[in-house]
Amino acid sequence: IARELGLTPEEAARIRTAAAVHDVGKIETPRDVLNKPGRLTDEEFAVIRRHPVDGAEMVAALGDPELTAIVRHHHERLDGGGYPDGLRGADIPHGARIIAVADTFDALTSNRPYRPGCRHKTALDVLRAEAGTQLDPDAVEAFLSYYSGRRVLPWWSAVAAGPSRLA
């Protein structure tokens, strides 16, 4: 996504690092809350909502304030309805806005204890619908552009591998 947006290699590397550790704060979240098969109570959701702050505190030890801010703010929403600080629009670090798009797609398409993952088309439709409200529209467009250019690769890999791979 960062490359599609034309960010520098250094910016892309920082965002890639932040993406790798953005949920590290969940290590402080009780497993029974993380893996609960049913709906969370308000109290349990409050515990989940602490993970960006917990993660930012851990990542701060790396000495990169931008990286720390990206981890802290990856659940903010463009409309201000996110957490932990209710930031809006450009006040949300660019890297956090990028991670939010990828994280949303991953969350929608992955199986969870409380629901099965959805089809990619459904997730892409959600990204389009949330662009400009919850998600950064430029980051969504970059994701969609990258996704549409790459999704045929597994099919072509299977074809190139020969008939034995298709059986």
Side-chain angles (χ1 to χ4, degrees), residues 56-92:
E57 289 172 1
M58 292 176 202
V59 170
L62 299 175
D64 183 339
E66 289 179 56
L67 181 70
T68 301
I70 293 170
V71 170
R72 179 180 179 95
H73 299 296
H74 74 274
H75 279 291
E76 302 287 1
R77 293 174 44 134
L78 284 188
D79 63 8
Y83 60 91
D85 299 316
L87 298 182
R88 297 178 161 274
D91 291 337
I92 304 167

Side-chain angles (χ1 to χ4, degrees), residues 73-146:
H73 299 296
H74 74 274
H75 279 291
E76 302 287 1
R77 293 174 44 134
L78 284 188
D79 63 8
Y83 60 91
D85 299 316
L87 298 182
R88 297 178 161 274
D91 291 337
I92 304 167
H94 199 211
R97 289 182 272 145
I98 291 170
I99 290 171
V101 172
D103 198 34
T104 298
F105 182 82
D106 179 62
L108 290 168
T109 59
S110 298
N111 291 329
R112 302 297 176 152
Y114 50 89
R115 61 141 179 86
C118 70
R119 297 178 50 159
H120 283 207
K121 182 189 179 324
T122 302
L124 295 172
D125 289 344
V126 170
L127 294 181
R128 286 183 190 99
E130 295 298 337
T133 304
Q134 177 178 342
L135 301 171
D136 182 296
D138 295 331
V140 169
E141 187 59 38
F143 179 89
L144 295 172
S145 175
Y146 181 81

